[in-house]
Amino acid sequence: MTTTAPAPLTTAPTLPDGGLSNTSPTLPGTTAPGTATLPGSAASPSTPGTAPAALGGADFPGASLSGATAFPGTFLPDAPSQFDLVADRRGTGSLKWDFAARRRRPQDALPLWVADMDHATAPCVTNALLWRVRHAIFGYSEPDAAYDRALRNWFSRRYDWQVDPEWNVVTPGVVPALALAVRACTGPGEGVVIEEPVYYPFRQVVEGAGRRVVSVPLVRGADGAYRRDLGALEQALQASGARLLILCNPHNPVGRVWSRDELADLAEVTGRHRVTVVADEIHADLALPGYRTTPFASLGRQVAARTISCTSPSKSFNLAGLQVANILIADPGLRAAFRTELDAVGYSQPGVLGLVACRAAYEGGDEWLDALREHIARAHAHVARRLERIPGITATPCEGTYLLWLDCTGLLADTGLEAGELDAFMLDQAGLWLDDGAVFGTGGEGFTRMNVACPRATLDAALDRLERAVQTLHHHPRPRPRPRSFRENGTYSS
């Protein structure tokens, strides 16, 4: 019996070219503004033997700001930018919007906590994903030459950092990479330095591995900005014998984009003590206009040889759900130790859509990202202005990330509210779901973290709620809120 080979896969579907104008955006198959359906057979190739072209190194269609395919939502009539699109994320399995009850939060609390954005990703990413989804085969995938080229060019173009794709170990995220790095670089009971207040999984991955946290708190100056106490760090390294430090660069939650000189000082101290540095640089792309992240490993070959750089497009391009991170490790021995831990947990090939999204973002996302950074800077400034009308709460100076570190110590002093009651006040009286500062460790009590990566309408609704609640707290007797514990809340996310 003779069989005939199928026709080659050569014809790719054409995607619509929709601009990012102030109109209701639509997806293919949309029947009305503000509604959408998934791309179906009508939008897929119907001729036998035709399908999207092979993907090995091919150019993505529409990888520019003008070739936009936006997501369903509603533009406000006077929306000043694409980032003021108000999208309904409920019913999408969103951790941020759909799981209040499971995490023992009021259902009507406005969520500005977890670090993902209420903004559609870059159009070049959306187009690339639609193109790849229509191929309809999702087998095992690896980073290919085109992915490596996009990665190398991104870091060269944005940071003047020349990376070798051979350094790259792809993981499902930065937090898993932190956990793997702790296990690869230390033994049970050994110390690991963290700089609190800091992203709370730092402490979790250290303690979860049976290692010992060595906290060296940042120092807050009279200007409200945080700085590193190099003397305290030196003493902690000498006393603890720690040989690993986890750096947050830019720093979450305090918003510092560490200068090159500050990082060089850190490199000098850690180098003398032969300390490996795990640099969480997931927010690197989100340095605000006027600031630029310096990747720690870019300081020189000797620094790179003892650095594990944890990078990802997940924060800057809102891709957390696609779970892809690029862990750059220049030293072969250090990279091998890291891979050993990765292999031990059974992880091999990364998800194909994460690879597609990352490549598309790094190939065509510059213009969109720069517009986003401008939007975030305006949001920061807007919150600071609005807080002038809310006594007792100020925004810490911020140089990067879309996370604002709010100082509520004045509110506590003025009203008698206890630091342990602050989160309950925000939830029960203000109707806001934020991240309480206490979960970030030493120096976090009396603070709260607010995510401002949302449309202006959402941000103003949150600030209106906060202003009313603070006015009520100042002028009327209040019921004593029930403090909530971190573990009860279940806030184990970014």
Side-chain angles (χ1 to χ4, degrees), residues 272-330:
R272 268 192 294 108
H273 290 271
R274 299 183 180 180
V275 171
T276 299
V277 174
V278 179
D280 176 355
E281 295 176 339
I282 195 170
H283 293 277
D285 298 333
L286 295 171
L288 299 183
Y291 296 92
R292 189 187 193 192
T293 301
T294 299
F296 189 71
S298 73
L299 294 176
R301 290 186 178 180
Q302 290 184 340
V303 177
R306 54 184 178 81
T307 301
I308 296 175
S309 300
C310 301
T311 76
S312 174
S314 65
K315 299 303 180 190
S316 46
F317 289 92
N318 210 24
L319 303 176
L322 295 183
Q323 298 196 330
V324 62
N326 299 294
I327 313 305
L328 304 173
I329 312 173

Side-chain angles (χ1 to χ4, degrees), residues 39 57 68 70 74 99 133 160 193 328 359 372-373 379 422 425 435 438 441 455:
T74 304
F99 291 90
V133 164
D160 292 329
V193 174
L328 304 173
R359 178 189 154 196
L372 172 68
R373 292 167 59 230
L422 180 60
F425 167 77
D435 263 339

Side-chain angles (χ1 to χ4, degrees), residues 91-383:
T92 65
S94 165
L95 174 65
K96 188 176 187 179
W97 288 89
D98 285 335
F99 291 90
R102 187 175 298 183
R103 289 173 174 258
R104 302 187 185 183
R105 296 298 203 263
Q107 290 279 26
D108 59 351
L110 192 58
L112 286 85
W113 63 289
V114 68
D116 73 8
M117 299 190 286
D118 292 334
H119 303 310
T121 190
C124 60
V125 174
T126 305
N127 281 343
L129 288 170
L130 285 171
W131 184 65
R132 185 62 181 83
V133 164
R134 288 174 183 165
H135 186 264
I137 299 174
F138 306 105
Y140 296 115
S141 298
E142 294 273 9
D144 59 9
Y147 185 94
D148 290 344
R149 184 167 56 252
L151 185 76
R152 183 178 62 247
N153 290 344
W154 179 259
F155 285 102
S156 175
R157 188 168 69 245
R158 304 290 296 194
Y159 303 102
D160 292 329
W161 183 28
Q162 309 310 313
V163 305
D164 185 341
E166 288 295 319
W167 301 352
N168 190 28
V169 181
V170 177
T171 70
V174 164
V175 174
L178 298 178
L180 294 169
V182 168
R183 293 176 182 274
C185 299
T186 63
E190 293 184 357
V192 179
V193 174
I194 63 175
E195 300 177 305
E196 293 181 316
V198 74
Y199 181 43
Y200 40 85
F202 283 21
R203 178 174 283 273
Q204 292 169 8
V205 299
V206 173
E207 295 178 341
R211 275 58 167 177
R212 177 170 44 89
V213 168
V214 179
S215 179
V216 182
L218 298 174
V219 177
R220 192 171 189 228
D223 59 355
Y226 287 79
R227 295 173 179 84
R228 182 174 292 108
D229 184 340
L230 290 172
L233 175 60
E234 184 105 41
Q235 291 176 6
L237 291 174
Q238 290 173 343
S240 67
R243 292 295 177 264
L244 185 69
L245 179 146
I246 308 180
L247 169 68
C248 202
N249 177 40
H251 192 97
N252 169 16
V254 306
R256 281 301 316 279
V257 175
W258 303 111
S259 71
R260 189 175 188 88
D261 286 345
E262 287 174 310
L263 293 175
D265 289 341
L266 177 64
E268 193 279 328
V269 172
T270 54
R272 268 192 294 108
H273 290 271
R274 299 183 180 180
V275 171
T276 299
V277 174
V278 179
D280 176 355
E281 295 176 339
I282 195 170
H283 293 277
D285 298 333
L286 295 171
L288 299 183
Y291 296 92
R292 189 187 193 192
T293 301
T294 299
F296 189 71
S298 73
L299 294 176
R301 290 186 178 180
Q302 290 184 340
V303 177
R306 54 184 178 81
T307 301
I308 296 175
S309 300
C310 301
T311 76
S312 174
S314 65
K315 299 303 180 190
S316 46
F317 289 92
N318 210 24
L319 303 176
L322 295 183
Q323 298 196 330
V324 62
N326 299 294
I327 313 305
L328 304 173
I329 312 173
D331 182 76
L334 193 56
R335 187 166 64 248
F338 183 88
R339 281 192 180 276
T340 295
E341 294 299 327
L342 182 63
D343 292 344
V345 298
Y347 181 81
S348 52
Q349 282 73 30
V352 59
L353 296 185
L355 296 177
V356 168
C358 180
R359 178 189 154 196
Y362 286 175
E363 285 182 349
D366 293 78
E367 186 179 354
W368 180 91
L369 176 61
D370 290 338
L372 172 68
R373 292 167 59 230
E374 295 283 353
H375 171 78
I376 293 169
R378 289 192 296 270
H380 283 313
H382 182 68
V383 172

Side-chain angles (χ1 to χ4, degrees), residues 81-92:
S81 82
Q82 59 183 293
F83 301 108
D84 287 312
L85 172 69
V86 178
D88 186 2
R89 297 182 63 186
R90 292 181 178 88
T92 65

